[in-house]
Amino acid sequence: MALHVQIREVGGPEKLELVDLPVGEPGPGQVRIRHHAVGLNFIDVYYRTGLYKGNLPITLGGEGAGVIEAVGDGVTHLRVGDRAAYATQAQGSYCELRVLDARTVCKLPDAIAFDTAAAMMLKGLTVQYLLRKTQPVGGLQAGDTILWHAAAGGVGLIACQWAKAMGLRLIATAGTDDKCRLALANGAAEAINYRTEDFAARVKDLTGGAGVRAVYDSVGKDTWAGSLASLGVFGLMASFGNASGPVPPFAPAELGAKGLYVTRGTLFTHLRTRESVQAMADDLFQMVGSGQVQIHIDQRFALKDAAEAHRALEARHTTGSTIFTL
């Protein structure tokens, strides 16, 4: 038996329940991991509210770190006793102990702590696929300017540092002056408080009217129009979240004047094979291990306080990464 946080029906944070559930043995291709820490992500809210569909009752969470307790047939890259971490589309990490597909579970370097790993796997791999793989025509070169929304969050602070390491000029947006200062301290070249400024107009000023090469937008509905207006000719609009609500339908002809490209990527599309998962994780481990990217854990909660953590996240009261400690 192990403690889990699950929902029996969709709704607000009050729907999160702490329950004791049995945990079985891993089957072929699976492992059982005992968590030391678990990450909190906005996608967890999407499942809780029903924006993303799951089979109820469901244990939330897709990111964690701990020690491998058992290994199923066919798993060769992990052994009992290994320190490990993962990001997965399969919900279920809000617990002490879980069985999951070994494909997305990676052996964790000794130099990276469990707390750090739980705070960085889903967020860091998201930045990896966006900055390394989701690029405008011709790719991104040192000196190029990009725009990143919600830059003081867990994904955003990693992106600020990673972009700086790539030589990119990242313009950050955030909802408070303090969050803007945090983005700047982590490598953003410029920061815009979107609550007090028209960020599209400011981007135009900062780029001499040229616009940015790419926009990385996890906010969705509220920033969509301004994001398109911020792009330069042949720019890329990379939508990867819906924190303010889904992007409304739009006419493709709106993209024509500047020849814009739009993509709606997901991390899990890139995590389809063991080889891809490991290559992406190795890149992330190298960036963190080298010190070029530091993981900021600004909030810690006990698993039993998951509802409180969700309230803080939805109210935009968090910065950096948030974890549950076990």
Side-chain angles (χ1 to χ4, degrees):
M1 302 291 285
L3 290 176
H4 290 63
V5 173
Q6 66 173 206
I7 58 169
R8 298 181 186 278
E9 58 183 8
V10 298
E14 72 281 357
K15 299 298 184 182
L16 294 163
E17 301 178 30
L18 189 67
V19 296
D20 209 15
L21 298 174
V23 179
E25 296 297 320
Q30 295 182 321
V31 296
R32 188 173 70 228
I33 184 170
R34 181 167 294 278
H35 290 134
H36 284 233
V38 172
L40 170 68
N41 295 281
F42 221 99
I43 191 173
D44 307 347
V45 174
Y46 299 158
Y47 277 103
R48 196 204 72 224
T49 60
L51 179 62
Y52 289 1
K53 305 302 179 184
N55 294 322
L56 301 174
I58 184 173
T59 299
L60 297 182
E63 178 181 46
V67 175
I68 302 297
E69 281 199 350
V71 176
D73 290 343
V75 177
T76 59
H77 69 287
L78 293 166
R79 291 186 287 186
V80 172
D82 280 349
R83 303 171 73 254
Y86 66 88
T88 178
Q89 188 171 19
Q91 293 290 285
S93 67
Y94 284 21
C95 63
E96 296 174 320
L97 190 67
R98 79 175 291 193
V99 171
L100 76 161
D101 186 343
R103 174 176 47 89
T104 61
V105 183
C106 297
K107 188 173 181 180
L108 184 64
D110 290 341
I112 299 177
F114 289 124
D115 285 9
T116 300
M120 79 180 196
M121 290 300 289
L122 193 146
K123 304 168 191 68
L125 292 174
T126 295
V127 173
Q128 200 278 345
Y129 95 78
L130 289 169
L131 287 181
R132 299 288 201 205
K133 300 182 178 185
T134 311
Q135 299 191 352
V137 174
L140 289 171
Q141 313 299 326
D144 284 347
T145 302
I146 63 174
L147 176 65
W148 200 288
H149 292 299
V155 173
L157 290 184
I158 294 172
C160 288
Q161 297 171 77
W162 203 311
K164 184 177 181 179
M166 291 173 64
L168 302 175
R169 180 192 183 207
L170 184 146
I171 300 174
T173 74
T176 69
D177 289 344
D178 284 344
K179 289 184 176 183
C180 285
R181 284 189 284 270
L182 185 58
L184 290 169
N186 280 272
E190 307 284 350
I192 304 168
N193 183 337
Y194 63 81
R195 296 189 188 279
T196 60
E197 293 186 82
D198 179 338
F199 73 82
R202 180 76 187 285
V203 166
K204 185 175 182 180
D205 290 341
L206 290 171
T207 59
V212 298
R213 295 271 288 132
V215 177
Y216 297 94
D217 189 341
S218 63
V219 176
K221 176 176 64 70
D222 289 354
T223 50
W224 178 258
S227 291
L228 291 182
S230 298
L231 286 163
V233 175
F234 301 129
L236 173 68
M237 174 63 192
S239 173
F240 67 101
N242 319 279
S244 67
V247 172
F250 68 98
E254 295 176 29
L255 311 176
K258 292 191 286 186
L260 302 180
Y261 293 79
V262 174
T263 183
R264 176 49 167 98
T266 70
L267 169 62
F268 306 114
T269 307
H270 294 272
L271 300 182
R272 290 183 175 183
T273 68
R274 167 99 280 278
E275 293 75 19
S276 177
V277 171
Q278 194 63 57
M280 293 171 66
D282 286 345
D283 192 11
L284 174 60
F285 293 157
Q286 191 279 326
M287 293 297 288
V288 173
S290 68
Q292 294 180 89
V293 169
Q294 297 182 9
I295 307 301
H296 296 266
I297 304 173
D298 293 341
Q299 297 80 213
R300 299 171 188 263
F301 293 87
L303 198 60
K304 66 180 179 63
D305 297 323
E308 182 184 348
H310 273 232
R311 291 187 184 98
L313 181 65
E314 289 183 278
R316 307 293 196 274
H317 291 162
T318 64
T319 57
S321 296
T322 302
I323 63 169
F324 298 110
T325 56
L326 293 97

